[in-house]
Each structure stands twice: as C-alpha cells, then as structure tokens.
Amino acid sequence: MSISFTNSIAVQSRARALVPLCVGAGAYLFFLYIGDTLLQDSDSFWQIKIGQWILDHHALPYTDFYSFTRPGAPWISTSWLSQVLFAFSYAQWDWAGPVVFTALAIAASAAVFVYLLDAHLEIPRSVLFAMLAVVLSLHHILARPHILALPVMIAWVGMLMAAADRKGTPSWYWLPLMSLWANLHGGFVLGLALIGPMALEAIWTLDSGKQVRLLARWFLFGVAAMLAACVTPYGWHTLLGATNILNLGELLSVISEWMPANFASFSAFEGALLGLIAIGLFRGLTLSPPRILLILLFTWMGLTHVRSIEAFAFLVPLVLAKPLGEKSPLPQLDAQDTERGAESWPARYVTVTGALMIAAAAWTSTSIYMSHHRFTFTMGQTPVAAVDLLQQRKAQRIFNAYQFGGYLISRDIPVFVDGRAELYGEKFVMDFFKAVEVKKLDNLTRLLEENRIDATLMVADAPAAQVLDHIKGWKRLYADNIAVIHVRDGEREPATPAKP
C-alpha cells in the first residue's frame, strides 16, 4: 500500500513538472495566433531601428541622431539588448521575428510563473493564476523590450520571495539574472527596490540576534545586485538612464501607458482588485507587515500607471503563494518514499522527453503557421501614403503626431518628437501635447515658427489638424483616414516625374 501510494505521488510529481512547460506552450501558440495584435505600438519601429544601428556600427548610442529638435543631445538606450534581438529577428523574418520573440517571452513568463507557484499551490490554482495574469496584462503585451524582460522579472522576484520564505538569503549565483534584466529593460530598478521589503520579510519572525546577521547578508546581496545592474556597456549610467523616465512629472499623466488606472467602466484590473479583497476575506489570510507592504506597493503601482498592472498581475500571486498554500498544503513525500520513487531510472527521462515533444510541437506549429500567414503592423500607426508624399516633397522639418514618430524614424526621416519622452523632457513634450490639442492656439503657432516647420503630419482627428485648415499661411495638402498633411501656403508643388 505504501509503495503504491509512493508511486502515485511520484507519477503526480513527474506530471507536475511538465505543467509549466505545457502552460508556456499554450501561451506561445495563443500569442503566435494573435500575433498581429502585438504589432500596434509605433515604439516598436524605433526600437528595431536602434537595434539595427547597434548591429551595423558595433557600438551603442550616447546621443540622439533621430530627431531635428534634439540632435546631439545626451541619450542612452537602457534596452539595447532587447533592441538588438528584435532587430536581428526582424532582419531574418520580417515582422514574424519580433512576434515570435515576444510570444516566446510570454511563454517563458507563464512557465516560470507556474513553476514558482507550484511549490505552494496545487496545479489548477497555479494555472488559473497564470491565465488571470496574462489576461490582466493583455493591454500591454506588445513587441517591445518590457515583454522580453518580463520572464526575468518574474524569476528574480520569485527567487527573492523563495529566499524570504525559507528565512535565508538569495544565492549569489542569481546575480547574473539582474545583469541580464539591466541590459534588456530599464525596469530592473524595480528588482533592486524589492530587495529591501523582501529582506524585512525574511527577518520578520526571527530573534534579534539572527535578524541582524541575516539583514547584513541581505544588505551585501543588495549591494552586489546593484553592482550587477551596472554590468552593461553603459556601466553605472544605466541606473541614471533607467530612472530618468520617472522624473517626467505631469507628462506621465498624458502618455497613455503611464496614465493612472481608470475605473469609469468595469475593467479586468478592477475585477482583480475586488477578487484580491474577496480572497483575503474568504480565506482568512493573516499576512506579515512586509507582505502587506509588498501587496500595497504592487497595487499602488497598478493604480498609478496602467503599464504597471502586469507587475501587479504576476507578482502579487508570488507574494500570496505561501500563505495560500498553508491553508491547503500539498501532499509531501518523506525521505524514504522519495528515495524509493527515484529508483525507477526510466522515470528520470519522462520530463525531458515531454519537454522535447512540447518544443517540437511548438516549432512545427510555428513553421506551418508562418508559411501561410504574414504578420503586419497595425495601419493606424503607419501613415505610409502620407509619408511617401512628404518624401516626394523633400520635407525636412515635419511637425509629427506623437504616435507617428517611430514610423518616421523607420523611414529615416528626422522627427519632431517620438516615444523617447526622457530625451525631450517634460516641458517640451507637454508644450507639444498642448499644441496638438490646441489648448492654446499660441502654443501651436509658436512651435511651428520657432522650429521652422515646413510640414505637419497629424492624425486624422487631431484638433491641430482641424485648426490648421483656418490658420493663415497653411493649407491642407493631403488627408486619409490615418493622417493629415499641412504645408505652408504658397510652396511650389513637386514636379511630376517624367514618364520613361
């Protein structure tokens, strides 16, 4: 009876080992199928363009060379490794490359997430939490660097949480994970900031003598992690560059992904917050102050900036996993049963064989799907016809819509502004937004004159595009359902190309 029970638990254990891989494969195939939805943010254009520049020049940018309003201004790319990966994949497989890389990152995120939860929760709840996390993050799952860094963030926080749960310190073998994160995306500063609260959780219930010794070891790990974050081509400047975006003040309230959460209509995030409260009340959870602090921190981040909802979705369950698991503990094997279950050597290869089969199935599915499907970028971000006309007219100084900046960069056209808000600064971009929205007419005319603008490229329904129809000295040259072009009145029309 004992052997039968042991074998049953051993089989379940091997099956559990394959669950994260199956969840990751499912996530990968799903996002591959809806891959076009990953291509709807024009920042992807300039991310790829910078990656191409890095590959071509075997160097990294330190100044801006894509705008005519900030040429030569100091600027570093804190996502250089992601940009190189996107650029390389784009060069090889067109837009299918970034889509596949993004889908793989989401798959890795889901797999790592389920693997970490699996230590405390049963399979159904782990998978359910993964599905909910992906649903909450859908609005921000795009072919951009933050998604490539997502599995690294989850692994790093899971490692810190595991160390805190066992009242120990993280292994220094994990420090290269911070270096990888720092080269992929500027969000690594969150990983550094979480070391403090995690250390508090680790020492919370210990005797004072043990608290001091353990806190000292966490402090040393924190210093080492900060040094690891500087292992990038930019060195310690990476830390400064990553925090610049947080110093943009009012500007963060007008950039869509940095806006606070809006509860005017019911959203998945609102449902998640209500569900979190319900779980706490129903399960009667009693959390330590450091865990409460972490949950409040992630909730505040999601409420303050919608782009942080994904951190809330993936990290709050990691904080709650152990307390939830203690309410319904998993069956455990004792040492004798574990040794007996390990005697069957063929069982050791079940997980490896299953993983290879899952990988082969995913690769085959990818090849078949890509053979008859062509991924395309959303048309709303690509004013192709309008830019063709501007190039024909040889327009040099274009006052462009914020969302068109990335596409113009991809066409090698100097921009007025683009998604690199930290380059332009709060005042400049706020003046730009106020001009486009025509909050004050003087703002628009002043920017056009001060920057010697010879053409404007606005979205079709922008207030500035309508007002320019009535401003003396400007005329509408072109319009479609994506973009509107205005040029200075009285300019010569381009010559008609001679027929061959």
Side-chain angles (χ1 to χ4, degrees):
M1 185 67 176
S2 175
I3 294 177
S4 176
F5 174 76
T6 300
N7 290 338
S8 175
I9 296 296
V11 170
Q12 292 180 30
S13 178
R14 291 193 294 273
R16 291 174 70 92
L18 288 174
V19 170
L21 295 175
C22 293
V23 171
Y28 170 76
L29 293 175
F30 174 75
F31 282 99
L32 181 70
Y33 180 72
I34 64 167
D36 290 324
T37 65
L38 307 177
L39 304 174
Q40 51 183 327
D41 190 310
S42 66
D43 280 1
S44 298
F45 284 106
W46 65 259
Q47 302 279 6
I48 291 173
K49 193 69 175 179
I50 291 173
Q52 290 173 335
W53 186 92
I54 294 172
L55 289 173
D56 292 341
H57 294 81
H58 303 288
L60 275 82
Y62 283 84
T63 59
D64 171 54
F65 38 75
Y66 288 121
S67 76
F68 64 85
T69 50
R70 290 289 187 274
W75 180 79
I76 64 173
S77 175
T78 55
S79 302
W80 74 271
L81 182 55
S82 295
Q83 291 158 351
V84 166
L85 293 174
F86 277 136
F88 175 80
S89 62
Y90 179 81
Q92 299 297 316
W93 305 291
D94 198 56
W95 283 113
V99 166
V100 168
F101 264 67
T102 304
L104 284 172
I106 301 168
S109 300
V112 171
F113 184 65
V114 171
Y115 174 80
L116 292 170
L117 293 181
D118 183 61
H120 302 287
L121 303 177
E122 65 274 16
I123 290 174
R125 275 201 290 180
S126 298
V127 175
L128 177 61
F129 273 127
M131 293 173 62
L132 292 175
V134 170
V135 169
L136 280 174
S137 307
L138 279 175
H139 69 287
H140 204 221
I141 295 181
L142 303 162
R144 285 175 44 192
H146 68 278
I147 293 298
L148 298 190
L150 183 59
V152 181
M153 177 187 76
I154 296 170
W156 176 264
V157 176
M159 175 270 299
L160 294 180
M161 196 74 252
D165 286 341
R166 66 174 185 269
K167 303 302 179 182
T169 51
S171 170
W172 286 38
Y173 288 114
W174 288 104
L175 290 175
L177 203 62
M178 174 53 68
S179 299
L180 175 61
W181 192 357
N183 285 280
L184 286 171
H185 187 252
F188 72 90
V189 293
L190 173 63
L192 295 175
L194 291 177
I195 294 175
M198 295 292 187
L200 291 178
E201 171 61 21
I203 69 171
W204 190 254
T205 58
L206 299 179
D207 297 333
S208 58
K210 293 181 179 179
Q211 283 182 337
V212 173
R213 290 192 295 273
L214 186 58
L215 188 60
R217 292 201 297 270
W218 273 88
F219 175 78
L220 291 176
F221 178 82
V223 172
M226 185 170 294
L227 293 175
C230 296
V231 183
T232 75
Y234 293 111
W236 65 272
H237 292 285
T238 301
L239 289 170
L240 299 178
T243 56
N244 282 342
I245 188 69
L246 300 176
N247 299 322
L248 293 177
E250 183 187 3
L251 177 56
L252 295 181
S253 65
V254 297
I255 300 176
S256 59
E257 64 180 332
W258 288 98
M259 288 181 177
N262 184 357
F263 295 128
S265 59
F266 188 80
S267 64
F269 182 46
E270 187 175 356
L273 290 176
L274 296 175
L276 181 61
I277 296 172
I279 289 175
L281 294 174
F282 179 74
R283 303 294 294 183
L285 292 177
T286 301
L287 304 179
S288 64
R291 285 186 194 268
I292 295 174
L293 174 63
L294 285 167
I295 292 175
L296 292 177
L297 171 63
F298 297 140
T299 303
W300 172 80
M301 289 171 56
L303 291 171
T304 307
H305 306 301
V306 294
R307 66 170 291 149
S308 297
I309 291 176
E310 70 211 40
F312 168 89
F314 282 100
L315 302 186
V316 166
L318 296 180
V319 177
L320 290 176
K322 185 180 180 182
L324 285 174
E326 290 172 346
K327 292 291 183 178
S328 53
L330 298 172
Q332 298 292 330
L333 286 172
D334 60 32
Q336 184 178 0
D337 288 338
T338 301
E339 182 180 354
R340 191 181 296 135
E343 290 174 359
S344 179
W345 66 265
R348 301 175 183 176
Y349 301 97
V350 170
T351 301
V352 175
T353 302
L356 292 175
M357 291 176 64
I358 292 171
W363 175 257
T364 303
S365 301
T366 302
S367 300
I368 294 174
Y369 188 63
M370 288 173 57
S371 66
H372 68 269
H373 181 81
R374 180 179 177 83
F375 295 100
T376 56
F377 210 93
T378 178
M379 294 301 296
Q381 304 280 340
T382 54
V384 179
V387 174
D388 286 343
L389 180 58
L390 288 170
Q391 284 191 319
Q392 181 186 358
R393 294 181 61 89
K394 294 181 172 54
Q396 299 297 314
R397 303 177 72 85
I398 303 170
F399 185 81
N400 61 276
Y402 191 80
Q403 55 265 57
F404 292 158
Y407 180 69
L408 288 174
I409 288 176
S410 73
R411 297 280 298 265
D412 296 316
I413 297 176
V415 298
F416 183 90
V417 70
D418 60 85
R420 298 169 297 161
E422 72 280 8
L423 165 67
Y424 300 96
E426 177 185 4
K427 183 180 184 305
F428 180 89
V429 183
M430 285 304 303
D431 281 349
F432 167 79
F433 277 124
K434 290 175 182 178
V436 171
E437 295 297 323
V438 198
K439 298 291 181 65
K440 290 179 62 177
L441 183 60
D442 289 349
N443 269 6
L444 177 60
T445 55
R446 175 177 57 82
L447 287 181
L448 296 178
E449 295 305 319
E450 285 182 354
N451 293 280
R452 305 190 308 280
I453 302 300
D454 51 35
T456 68
L457 178 68
M458 295 284 102
V459 296
D461 58 352
Q466 315 307 317
V467 170
L468 279 168
D469 289 335
H470 307 286
I471 294 181
K472 184 178 180 181
W474 291 89
K475 67 176 180 179
R476 178 175 293 215
L477 180 68
Y478 174 86
D480 57 26
N481 60 349
I482 299 175
V484 177
I485 295 176
H486 284 81
V487 296
R488 292 189 181 275
D489 199 7
E491 288 190 3
R492 293 185 299 108
E493 296 296 326
T496 302
K499 295 182 179 181

